[in-house]
Amino acid sequence: MTSSKPIPDASAPLIERLAARVRAVRTAQGLPRRLLSERSGVSPRYLAQLEAGEGNISVLLLSRVAAALNVRIEELLSDAGPMEDDVSRVASLYRAAPAPVQGRVRALLAPENPLAQRAQRVCLIGLRGAGKSTLGAAAAEKLKVPFVELNAEIERAVEMPLDEIMALYGPDGYRALEAEAVDRVLQTYDKLILAVAGGIVAAPATFNQVLERFHTVWIRTSAAEHMARVRAQGDLRPMDGNPAAMDQLKHFLTARTPQYEQALAQINTSAKPVQTSVNELLAVIAKHRFLESIGPE
């Protein structure tokens, strides 16, 4: 009579690996099982069984445990070697960090030459009325490179004017369209001068991408000239029925200055003829070699 051997349980190694991963990540974060239970909604008893490799856990419950540990579910299931404690801790800190901090981390760790990442793309930032469009168009014509206004690119893509876009999509929807437009510009142009809206700094992830992928120049002026130029353009929105508009403008300038100061260069257009400011922009581009091709190091 032939004796039959028991068939090995193919799921056992996976369950053991999962138990070890959950236990290691929780321990690395100094997270008591009780607190993990509160965050995930999975009972302490079930978590104890999970970490002991006893029984199966549903995908739904495992996804809740992964979210509570601030890791991706695939990191708990992958057959790659378990992450070291430091790697796990850094990954968790990165995911919890604000977008600007994440951007700086990526820039430090990126293997690419930062200059090569920016290619020959120049981006003008700053509040409305500083002169970004005027200077950008004039410099681009002189240098024979494309000039793009991001708002015009958004209008072209959505096929409606900006005021209708804002009315229909609202600020959050506009910011999403703005991020998509920056991606399109990056995919389309290796060489151009781009002008973006002053409020792009309100979307940290998008602004961080601009800082990483463009040679940025802050076009700035005084609050009085900002206001005068916007009015001269026929745009009365900042002033219409709003006697405190100048105070609000000064507040914007003060609040956004730390973001604008992250630009690689600055041009102050206050009390200067347009051509003088254009010449200064051309000089900055030449000095920093923003439109020169960067070869491999």
Side-chain angles (χ1 to χ4, degrees):
M1 184 176 178
T2 304
S3 61
S4 59
K5 295 182 179 180
I7 300 175
D9 183 358
S11 65
L14 174 62
I15 294 174
E16 292 175 4
R17 184 167 63 245
L18 175 60
R21 295 280 173 82
V22 172
R23 192 167 56 246
V25 173
R26 181 180 63 79
T27 302
Q29 295 181 13
L31 193 66
R33 191 178 293 147
R34 174 188 53 78
L35 186 53
L36 177 58
S37 172
E38 293 175 0
R39 289 184 181 180
S40 64
V42 178
S43 72
R45 180 178 179 183
Y46 206 113
L47 290 173
Q49 291 176 336
L50 171 63
E51 292 188 4
E54 299 174 358
N56 296 317
I57 184 171
S58 72
V59 173
L60 178 60
L61 289 182
L62 183 57
S63 68
R64 285 158 56 179
V65 172
L69 290 170
N70 199 25
V71 298
R72 296 184 179 90
I73 191 171
E74 56 265 31
E75 292 177 11
L76 300 177
L77 294 169
S78 171
D79 58 1
M83 293 189 300
E84 296 178 1
D85 290 352
D86 285 346
V87 175
S88 176
R89 190 177 299 110
V90 169
S92 298
L93 290 171
Y94 174 83
R95 293 191 188 97
V101 174
Q102 291 181 345
R104 290 196 292 272
V105 171
R106 290 197 304 273
L108 287 171
L109 298 178
E112 300 90 351
N113 179 344
L115 294 178
Q117 277 193 292
R118 296 178 182 128
Q120 295 164 272
R121 294 182 291 260
V122 176
C123 181
L124 308 183
I125 65 173
L127 279 182
R128 187 166 44 131
K132 294 171 296 187
S133 299
T134 301
L135 270 58
E141 182 178 7
K142 178 71 174 178
L143 296 167
K144 302 187 184 311
V145 300
F147 172 66
V148 175
E149 285 193 88
L150 197 65
N151 275 344
E153 167 62 23
I154 294 171
E155 290 178 327
R156 183 197 63 76
V158 184
E159 298 184 339
M160 65 176 63
L162 189 62
D163 56 351
E164 292 184 18
I165 292 174
M166 294 299 295
L168 181 62
Y169 291 89
D172 291 343
Y174 167 78
R175 291 299 169 209
L177 294 171
E178 184 179 55
E180 293 172 2
V182 170
D183 285 336
R184 282 195 302 275
V185 168
L186 288 170
Q187 293 168 14
T188 306
Y189 300 95
D190 285 331
K191 189 172 188 176
L192 87 158
I193 296 178
L194 174 71
V196 298
I200 197 169
V201 297
T206 305
F207 184 55
N208 185 69
Q209 185 177 36
V210 167
L211 294 174
E212 288 182 359
R213 303 299 300 279
F214 294 83
H215 303 284
T216 45
V217 182
W218 177 19
I219 309 299
R220 58 186 302 188
T221 191
S222 66
E225 289 205 42
H226 273 294
M227 189 71 77
R229 291 171 185 174
V230 172
R231 296 195 68 166
Q233 294 167 6
D235 188 349
L236 302 180
R237 287 176 296 169
M239 287 68 66
D240 191 18
N242 185 7
M246 180 58 78
D247 289 339
Q248 291 181 2
L249 179 56
K250 290 178 179 178
H251 170 74
F252 274 129
L253 277 172
T254 301
R256 291 177 177 176
T257 290
Q259 284 76 41
Y260 293 148
E261 284 181 334
Q262 296 181 60
L264 299 174
Q266 300 182 17
I267 300 291
N268 191 333
T269 65
S270 182
K272 293 177 183 175
V274 171
Q275 190 56 51
T276 299
S277 296
V278 172
N279 291 340
E280 289 184 5
L281 177 58
L282 291 169
V284 162
I285 291 173
K287 175 184 176 182
H288 295 283
R289 303 170 59 193
F290 286 161
L291 291 180
E292 294 184 24
S293 177
I294 303 296
E297 293 185 338

